[in-house]
Amino acid sequence: MSVVLNDPLPKRLALAAVLIIVLLGPVFSAEKKSDFFPVSVWYAGGKARAPMLEKVTPESPRLWKKDLEQIKNLGFNTVRCWIEWTNCEPEEGRYDFSALRTIVDLAEQVGLRVIVQVYIDSAPDWVGRKYPDSKFVASNGLAVESQAAPGFCFDHLQVREKILGFLAEAAKVVKDRPVFLGWDLWSEPHIINWAEIYHLGDPEYLQFCYCHSSKARFRDWLKLKYRTIDNLNTAWYRTFESWDEVDPPRFGTILTYTDYIDWKNYISDKLAEDLEMKAEAVEAVAPEAVVTSHSAIPGLFSKPVWSGTPDDRKMAAAVDYYGVSIYPKHAWTVRPWSPFFRAAGNDFIRSMSWANGGFYVGELQAGYGVFGMKLSVPVVGADLRDWMWSMVSCGARAVNIYAYYPMSSGYEAGGYGLVELDGKVTERAVAAGKIARVITENMDLFLGSRPPGAEIAVLYNPLVHMVGGQQTFTGEGQTIGVNNLSESLQGIHKAYFERNIPVDFLHVMDLTPELWNQYKLLIVPYPVMMSQSDVKKLRAYVEAGGTLVTEARCGWVDERGFSSDIIPGGGLHEVLGCRESYVRPLSKASTLKIKGTHEELPLLKDGDRLDTLFFEEEFELLGAQARVLAEFDNGQPAIVYAQHGKGRAMIVGSFIGSAYHHFKNPNNGKFLAGLADWLKILRPVEVTVAESDILVEARLLEGDGRMILFGFNRGERKAAAEFAVAAPDGNLKATDLETKETVPSQYKEGRLHLAKSLEPGAAWVVLLDKK
């Protein structure tokens, strides 16, 4: 999309308006710019760690070419280099892209494609001298003096002009080079990057940015939403006389919360708009290049209440592909990411990128993690095999490994490298290169395949994080629940993941008939805060024939921070056939008990107990349509089921998803999995494992009459697994995609059966093609 206006203020408003329009509905790409699947390593010449750059010397071409030849020989098809503002424009208007030109020249000689990572967060000092009012300002009023990072505020119109001009100049360097594939314009977007600003105050409470430019931009956003100052005063409970008096909130009070909700929603909109403006700057010069960006971690594990955190779905709408950094053995991890954690994150970024047709893995950990004296366990070849194939199986359209050489300096010195700092090739480099070669040899196959459509959606509603405004606390006495929504989402995902039942995370902005019609089941976890318009959509989903399952206090608080008169809110009590009669906080986990046998809960029997968490919500039944499926120990209704319109709905009076995440009571998982059996949800791949205590994960990609089966042993012992793949007919042959050996198979009862003995942590990739 392109918006061209002359005046800076109208342009800013127009972009915001366009963004709002984009975010109200799905974004479809009629065609993708790229028919190439990059598998790269990060390398910008020499051993300087990103975002630093080595100076080009007469010896550089020879030395760098040797590295690029090794990268090519390992099996990679792309090199991901970088440019950064400090080095490439040391004086205003004097550009030095010699390192970029050298890398592109050498990549052409060697036969590698090139992706360019752009770093603006490291800004040249002349920017601060020329625009001293462009410094980031914290919520406590203190300015951030840039020390190469974090740079200067993009909201400052002159600084923004310089940044967009820098991007355009960079695009001129590569726009006509055949090996140039595309950009990553923003690595791990936040308002502030790479600056540990503890000297300004507790970072948990510091917010950004409060400079005069950011305040003005926030006011523009508010004008679009509220139109008049009177409307704003009503919403914020204030008495402003003009827009000039309006500032972003700095703290919470008993009277104010809508201002904080607006501020956080604005921040996520602003980040997406910033990314779109950067994309437009390079697309104006190099329109055929792929434009990407990537988050620091899947948004499932972050919160908008953290300072300057992006919304993955909004960011994905601004570029061709959005993506993520994946560091399962980062130095900050207490232990490596579990298969459940990784799978939930992969499915989340896949789901947020549905309109893009895939996602980019912007950074994948190459070597052990380092942070000062904190070290992670080693990364080995089996790790990279698992991680790479796992993400490809979820629909990744690029894998970029960070980095070729270990970090040469700073608090990460010695970590995160694919080879040794002296250039010695490691076992993990060979393993990753082999996978890269397989992907390159079968590129059309992977680009033409997609994960099968899920029939279960788990609603992701980031507004939930803001219940109470800045006064967001878990129940008294709770020591768990750092991210209650995330833990609920992870628990629900786990119940289906461990049974190989596909699920999507459906962003609340995609809650539309065009999308919800594909789902037989919509689960709404931790639903304590929802906009009134989204509550209406849930009602419409059920009335149209959908099945809704929600956790406790659904629609309790709306988008303004106001409580509903009746809970469930927004009229959902009519859909769910009950209303809240009593709510009891829990200082520790408790249980509810299934009452009787029910076709809706086929995996549970009378007397089975499910864990509850945070609080228990009792219900008063409304009408003869409602039925009690479970009770608390005092005999009051705990789970209620009702029919409404053409559909049906169920409410659970606690948070069984989060409880399952923490306590792993099998009955919580059976409750969720049983819903799939009740609704006859299709499992694309059924897995039977001889060792019943070992989880074997199955994934599938489909396209043009072919399928790719992925099998992963998530246990710590060898497992004998049988995979039964749903197939319309048996006219398929199975081939191991890596060894090219034929895999024995048998077709019966509508499924193609294959067997494999998998070592612990092993990955198996099989092509199912027409005979």
Side-chain angles (χ1 to χ4, degrees), residues 282-353:
V282 295
E283 286 177 328
V285 179
E288 299 305 315
V290 178
V291 181
T292 76
S293 175
H294 67 280
S295 285
I297 193 169
L300 172 64
F301 309 125
S302 66
K303 299 163 64 172
V305 296
W306 295 343
S307 183
T309 301
D311 182 311
D312 289 350
R313 178 66 181 88
K314 293 180 182 180
M315 300 297 277
V319 288
D320 296 315
Y321 290 106
Y322 195 63
V324 69
S325 291
I326 299 292
Y327 287 86
K329 291 186 175 181
H330 195 280
W332 281 107
T333 56
V334 176
R335 62 185 63 86
W337 290 3
S338 73
F340 300 106
F341 189 87
R342 287 194 288 117
N346 290 346
D347 276 333
F348 185 86
I349 193 65
R350 170 187 61 78
S351 299
M352 297 303 104
S353 302

Side-chain angles (χ1 to χ4, degrees), residues 480-493:
I480 59 176
V482 174
N483 190 335
N484 295 340
L485 175 60
S486 176
E487 291 163 358
S488 291
L489 291 163
Q490 289 179 65
I492 291 168
H493 179 274

Side-chain angles (χ1 to χ4, degrees), residues 260-479:
Y260 176 77
I261 295 168
D262 279 339
W263 174 239
K264 288 302 177 181
N265 284 332
Y266 156 75
I267 290 295
S268 65
D269 281 359
K270 166 201 145 47
L271 289 168
E273 185 183 346
D274 289 353
L275 179 57
E276 184 166 11
M277 284 189 275
K278 293 175 182 180
E280 288 178 340
V282 295
E283 286 177 328
V285 179
E288 299 305 315
V290 178
V291 181
T292 76
S293 175
H294 67 280
S295 285
I297 193 169
L300 172 64
F301 309 125
S302 66
K303 299 163 64 172
V305 296
W306 295 343
S307 183
T309 301
D311 182 311
D312 289 350
R313 178 66 181 88
K314 293 180 182 180
M315 300 297 277
V319 288
D320 296 315
Y321 290 106
Y322 195 63
V324 69
S325 291
I326 299 292
Y327 287 86
K329 291 186 175 181
H330 195 280
W332 281 107
T333 56
V334 176
R335 62 185 63 86
W337 290 3
S338 73
F340 300 106
F341 189 87
R342 287 194 288 117
N346 290 346
D347 276 333
F348 185 86
I349 193 65
R350 170 187 61 78
S351 299
M352 297 303 104
S353 302
W354 68 267
N356 307 71
F359 62 95
Y360 266 37
V361 181
E363 301 177 36
L364 175 63
Q365 183 174 358
Y368 71 94
V370 178
F371 193 96
M373 288 295 291
K374 291 178 66 68
L375 304 180
S376 78
V377 295
V379 173
V380 298
D383 292 327
L384 285 167
R385 273 187 54 79
D386 180 1
W387 301 345
M388 292 175 74
W389 282 131
S390 292
M391 289 176 292
V392 171
S393 74
C394 288
R397 288 292 173 265
V399 177
N400 299 276
I401 296 177
Y402 187 90
Y404 185 62
Y405 280 115
M407 304 299 96
S408 58
S409 62
Y411 53 71
E412 294 177 330
Y416 304 105
L418 192 64
V419 301
E420 303 294 353
L421 200 51
D422 65 356
K424 179 183 177 182
V425 173
T426 63
E427 169 264 350
R428 62 184 179 274
V430 173
K434 286 181 178 178
I435 296 173
R437 185 173 285 110
V438 172
I439 293 173
T440 302
E441 292 172 351
N442 297 276
M443 190 174 294
D444 291 342
L445 173 66
F446 286 106
L447 290 174
S449 301
R450 299 285 187 274
E455 295 180 308
I456 300 174
V458 183
L459 191 67
Y460 172 67
N461 177 20
L463 185 65
V464 164
H465 289 295
M466 290 180 273
V467 64
Q470 285 178 290
Q471 283 71 33
T472 303
F473 303 108
T474 305
E476 184 177 355
Q478 296 289 352
T479 57

Side-chain angles (χ1 to χ4, degrees), residues 30-80:
E31 57 183 275
K32 300 308 297 180
K33 296 179 181 178
S34 175
D35 57 357
F36 191 82
F37 192 125
V39 188
S40 83
V41 293
W42 285 59
Y43 176 83
K47 299 178 181 180
R49 65 146 302 156
M52 299 175 182
L53 289 167
E54 284 193 4
K55 292 294 183 183
V56 180
T57 70
E59 280 293 292
S60 296
R62 180 183 65 83
L63 296 174
W64 296 6
K65 184 177 182 181
K66 181 180 177 182
D67 286 337
L68 291 175
E69 287 175 338
Q70 182 61 68
I71 291 168
K72 175 72 172 179
N73 290 338
L74 282 168
F76 297 97
N77 60 34
T78 302
V79 61
R80 186 184 182 108

Side-chain angles (χ1 to χ4, degrees), residues 67-96:
D67 286 337
L68 291 175
E69 287 175 338
Q70 182 61 68
I71 291 168
K72 175 72 172 179
N73 290 338
L74 282 168
F76 297 97
N77 60 34
T78 302
V79 61
R80 186 184 182 108
C81 66
W82 57 86
I83 58 175
E84 59 100 11
W85 197 12
T86 296
N87 187 286
C88 297
E89 194 182 358
E91 300 173 12
E92 184 179 5
R94 182 174 73 81
Y95 300 100
D96 180 5

